[in-house]
Each structure stands twice: as C-alpha cells, then as structure tokens.
C-alpha cells in the first residue's frame, strides 16, 4: 500500500464547499508536512483565477489540457513563501465533472512535477536522500463525490502513479510543536567583475550559497541543549498533566555557527576583481513547526535550518521584484519587507507573509485571502519584527559611480534593522583573505 495522508477535517469541509459554477474543473494546492511514516495535510487553497477568467466564470469549451501550468506553479511559488519551516506544498487537488474523471492524469502529472521544480528552483538547500519525495494528486468528482488519491515520486521523472490512503481526522495540528529563534546575519557578498552580466538577484544568490553552508553546518541548541539527531525531540520533558501542554508547544532554538574551517584545511588568500558588493546585516525572526507524533531532533533542526535560509532568500527576492515591477526610482534608502505571522484557525501553526512599511494591514489581509483563500482578521496579524531598512548605493551610470562611494548608514535605533547596502565601485580590486587558526574551533551566536 502507498503513503497515508492524515487530513484535517476542515480541509474536507473546504473541498466539499467548492462549486464549479459552470467551470469544468477547479484546482488548488494541498499544504502540510511530510514524515517518514505518513503525511499531514492541514490546509487546502484553490488557485485564484486570472483576471480574464474573473470576467467570464463559465468556460463551456474549457478542457483539462488548458489547465494553466504556468499560473498554477506561480501560485505554488508565492504560497511557499508564506509557509514557515516544516510546512511544504504536498501536492495538488482538482475537482472535475464526471466526464473528465478519466482524462486528467497526464495533465496533472506534468503539473505536479512542474510545481515541485518551480518551488525548489531558488532554494539555498537541496533535499536529502532520506526525505520523502512523493507528492500527492487528489481528484474529486463533483457528481459522485468519489475521491481518487495518487502519489508520484517527483525525484524520478519516470515514476508512475501509486495509490494512497486519504483519511480525515480532527485537530491534526492542534498540538504541533513550535520552534522559534532569532538569527543575526552579517553577510558580505562581493560582486565579481567576471559575473557582471548576471542579474543582481543571481549574484546575490551565489553569495548567499556560501553563507548557507554555515547555517547547514551550525550547531543547534534546543532549549539550551545539544541533542543527538536521532533522539526524540521531547526526550526529558516532564509529562505532568498541568504543564506538559504549555511547556512542550514552544521550544527555543539558538544557532551556533562555525567560524573556522577544519584544522586540516589549508587556505590561501584570494584576489578577486569586483564591480561592487552586497552587505546583508540585521536580525530575522524564524519559526518552524513539527508534528507531535514522536518527532526526531534531526527533523526539527532541519525545519529550522530551512526556515532561516528561506526567509533570507525570500526577502531579497521580494525586494528585487518590488524594484523591478514598480520601477521605483533610484535612491539610497529602501525598506526590506517585515515578516508577518497569522494563526491558522484550529491549529497551533502560524502562516507568514511579508510586508513593506507602506503597505497597510488591509493589504496584507487581502493578500492572505487571495493566496490562501481563507479569511483572516486584521487583529490576528503579528508583526514579528520592527521596521526593516535598507541602504542601497547603486551605480547605474558613470556619474553615480563618481559620487556614490561613501558608506552611508541608516541611524542606529532600538528597532530591528536589516541593512542591505550595495556599493558599486567598478574597477575596484577586493582581496578576500580567509584566516585559519591552528587551535580548536570557535563558535559565535547567530541568535539573540
């Protein structure tokens, strides 16, 4: 038998309330968490229609082959930014009329592979061999209400469909564990002159890849303790009736990063011709969630690592997209997006989004509604960080190069600040020296 999917009852209610309204199909995403034994589905969200589809809700000639793969994968990419550590897009659902029941497999198979590829394209991490690579396709017939659940191994392009169990259960994520940490970043990214043809976004990602190795190789303290990766996460917790629920639901995580390379590693200074540099500095709030069914330390640590890597990458991408799409005029100071959390009703899990300082709470609420198809209350929005600022000194032309050479910094305050400074000094030569001490390995906190 294939994988088992434990599904929140509210997901079933959500799917049963979707009406085709003259359309031949409605599709969307399934969100939850993988584990070695079973997967948990805690949220479903239909893919929003395009503007032209909103104007004409009925498409009598529409076929399943017209399922917009690009639009669905973009929706999945946007939704993946709203998921904290431990949550992923597990697959897709589609609700069709009876006559389409036998006609959807090929189109959906292409779509599930495309969605997975799109979401992982810009990630700073790669999946391990031990990770679950099966993704689910749920088909519901609107006439008979019959459910068909199949999975594909997205790491195997030749994989065929496998049947899976789909079981509803109440309060699936009500007692999930929360892992929280604050990470300080101070990342210097030289922009090599040889890669001047690359976009700033690509150059930044290349630089972040080196920092990501530090995060991957760090030591993670859970409630101040280092635990073996195969140990139970809750090992040692007192199971008293009065305080078990309060103490177990939230765990504090601190990240220790290795300052030095291995003692047997020989290092030499590197001279590199650079056209500028990117500096990322400040503090970010990270959260991850793990199921409460005997979770392992390694699964919890992995969820935290990926949330750290994802939130830094996402902020950079969002800023670059904002500058590009809105054609914001060149200036020195920009705001980087703040992370905003919102609770998922009936669950201990909180989803997230990002907002710029000039965006209102109503806009964030509307974005949640559009992307996740769930209504939220403005008073439930939790801004995890203070206003983030960015200082960008950019050389778009020779005159800018001549004048924008000073390191202008925003004023220090008690607010959490993430400073992003881009200095374009064409023709400058930057020497990067890596020093390795002979004695021991030093660590320093990347946490409050």
């Amino acid at each position: 038998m294939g994988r088992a999917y434990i599904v929140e009852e509210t997901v079933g209610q959500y799917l049963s309330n979707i009406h085709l309204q003259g359309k031949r199909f409605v599709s969307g995403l399934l969100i939850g968490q993988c584990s070695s034994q079973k997967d948990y589905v805690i949220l479903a969200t239909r893919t929003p229609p395009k503007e032209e589809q909103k104007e004409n809700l009925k498409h009598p000639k529409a076929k399943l082959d017209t399922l917009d793969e690009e639009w669905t994968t973009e929706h999945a990419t946007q939704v993946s930014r709203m998921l904290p550590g431990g949550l992923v897009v597990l697959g897709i659902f589609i609700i069709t009329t009876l006559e389409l029941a036998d006609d959807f497999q090929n189109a959906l198979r292409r779509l599930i592979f495309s969605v997975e590829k799109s979401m992982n394209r810009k990630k700073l991490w790669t999946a391990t061999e031990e990770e679950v690579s099966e993704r689910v396709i749920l088909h519901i017939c609107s006439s008979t209400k019959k459910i068909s659940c199949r999975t594909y191994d997205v790491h195997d392009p030749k994989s065929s469909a496998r049947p899976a169990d789909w079981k509803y259960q109440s309060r699936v994520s009500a007692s999930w564990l929360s892992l929280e940490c604050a990470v300080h970043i101070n990342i210097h990214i030289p922009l090599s002159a040889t890669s001047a043809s690359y976009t700033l976004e690509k150059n930044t990602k290349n630089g972040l890849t080196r920092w990501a190795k530090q995060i991957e190789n760090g030591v993670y303290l859970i409630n101040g303790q280092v635990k073996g990766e195969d140990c139970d996460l809750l090992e040692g917790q007192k199971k008293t009736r009065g305080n078990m629920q309060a103490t177990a639901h939230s765990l504090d995580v601190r990240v220790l990063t290795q300052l030095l390379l291995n003692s047997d590693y020989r290092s030499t200074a590197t001279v590199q011709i650079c056209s500028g540099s990117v500096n990322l500095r400040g503090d970010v709030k990270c959260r991850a969630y793990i199921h409460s069914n005997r979770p392992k330390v390694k699964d919890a640590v992995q969820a935290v690592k990926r949330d750290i890597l994802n939130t830094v990458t996402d902020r950079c991408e969002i800023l670059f997209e904002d500058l590009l799409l809105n054609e914001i005029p060149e200036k020195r100071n920009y705001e980087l997006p703040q992370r905003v959390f919102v609770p998922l009703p009936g669950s201990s899990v909180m989803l997230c989004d990002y907002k710029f300082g000039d965006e209102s709470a109503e806009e964030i609420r509307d974005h949640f509604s559009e992307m996740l198809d769930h209504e939220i209350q403005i008073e439930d929005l939790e801004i995890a960080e203070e206003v983030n600022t960015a200082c960008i000194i950019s050389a778009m032309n020779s005159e800018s190069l001549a004048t924008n050479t000073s390191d202008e910094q925003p004023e220090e305050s008690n607010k959490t600040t993430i400073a992003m400074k881009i200095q374009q000094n064409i023709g400058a030569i930057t020497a990067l020296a890596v020093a390795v001490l002979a004695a021991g390995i030093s660590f320093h906190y990347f946490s409050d």
Side-chain angles (χ1 to χ4, degrees), residues 25 37 64 94 149 213 226 259 289 313 316 397 439 445:
F25 64 87
Q37 301 297 325
L64 191 60
I94 187 163
C149 185
K213 292 180 181 179
V226 177
L259 289 176
Y289 295 90
T313 305
C316 292
N397 51 51
Y445 277 99

Side-chain angles (χ1 to χ4, degrees), residues 6 42 47 92 105 128 141 183 219 305 400 414 416 423 425 434:
I6 308 302
I42 64 172
T47 298
I92 57 178
Q105 286 294 345
T128 65
C141 175
V183 180
V219 175
K305 285 181 180 179
S400 297
N414 292 328
T416 303
Q423 296 175 310
N425 300 311
V434 180

Side-chain angles (χ1 to χ4, degrees), residues 138-156:
L138 179 73
H139 172 242
I140 301 175
C141 175
S142 62
S143 301
T144 64
K145 304 300 181 183
K146 181 180 178 180
I147 293 178
S148 172
C149 185
R150 293 180 172 87
T151 63
Y152 290 91
D153 184 349
V154 292
H155 290 174
D156 180 10

Side-chain angles (χ1 to χ4, degrees), residues 279 281 331-336 389-394 406-410 417-423:
N279 292 295
R281 293 188 303 276
K331 58 181 180 179
R332 289 175 179 267
N333 295 307
Y334 298 92
E335 285 187 356
L336 282 172
T389 61
C391 178
I392 300 181
I393 304 175
S394 178
S406 63
D407 290 353
E408 183 172 314
Q409 302 293 339
T417 302
I418 299 177
M420 177 180 179
K421 181 179 61 179
I422 302 176
Q423 296 175 310

